[in-house]
Amino acid sequence: QVQLVESGGDSVQAGGSLRLSCAASGDTYVIYYMDYMGWFRQAPGKEREGVAYIYTGSGSTYYSDSVKGRFTISQDNAKNALYLQMNSLRPEDTAIYYCAADPRPQYDGLRSVPYYKYSGQGTQVTVSS
């Protein structure tokens, strides 16, 4: 089994920055072969939205149009930590942000991130205008 724990959420003003972290622990064999890691978010009254993911083998990254150019996803070499650097935050970025991971997602792309096999409990990000 794998556990994911997010941290770094906070309340900030529009235009500010936050860096979210996700620590992975548990079965080291599973973590080593975790090919996909990502972030999704859920705002009140809205559906879960894939924000970004990384293919850990090549380091290729993918972003939703709503965050492209403002957010950066990264990982450490051991795959036991994932980060989301969020700059130029907007009130519409307010949501609970979840870290997620999957060795082999059932579907391609950002739409699958909220359905990855492993996910954390989330961390709250609030952006005020």
Side-chain angles (χ1 to χ4, degrees):
Q1 273 289 19
V2 173
Q3 294 78 44
L4 302 175
V5 179
E6 304 91 340
S7 62
D10 206 344
S11 297
V12 297
Q13 298 235 326
S17 298
L18 283 174
R19 187 185 193 221
L20 304 184
S21 299
C22 172
S25 62
D27 192 322
T28 54
Y29 180 86
V30 173
I31 292 173
Y32 183 81
Y33 286 103
M34 201 72 75
D35 283 345
Y36 294 83
M37 299 187 76
W39 294 89
F40 68 93
R41 66 187 180 186
Q42 187 165 27
K46 294 189 176 181
E47 294 188 356
R48 293 179 290 180
E49 173 194 11
V51 172
Y53 72 95
I54 184 168
Y55 177 60
T56 61
S58 65
S60 298
T61 58
Y62 304 86
Y63 300 92
S64 67
D65 288 342
S66 61
V67 307
K68 196 174 298 181
R70 301 187 297 122
F71 290 11
T72 303
I73 188 172
S74 61
Q75 62 173 93
D76 73 356
N77 290 335
K79 299 185 192 177
N80 57 10
L82 186 72
Y83 307 99
L84 186 68
Q85 177 66 43
M86 306 188 295
N87 298 328
S88 302
L89 283 162
R90 304 167 180 170
E92 53 264 38
D93 294 319
T94 295
I96 299 174
Y97 283 72
Y98 300 86
C99 171
D102 200 318
R104 187 182 294 272
Q106 187 174 4
Y107 303 104
D108 293 332
L110 285 164
R111 62 172 179 154
S112 70
V113 178
Y115 304 99
Y116 279 3
K117 184 174 183 178
Y118 304 102
S119 61
Q121 294 300 306
T123 186
Q124 176 72 48
V125 172
T126 303
V127 185
S128 59
S129 56

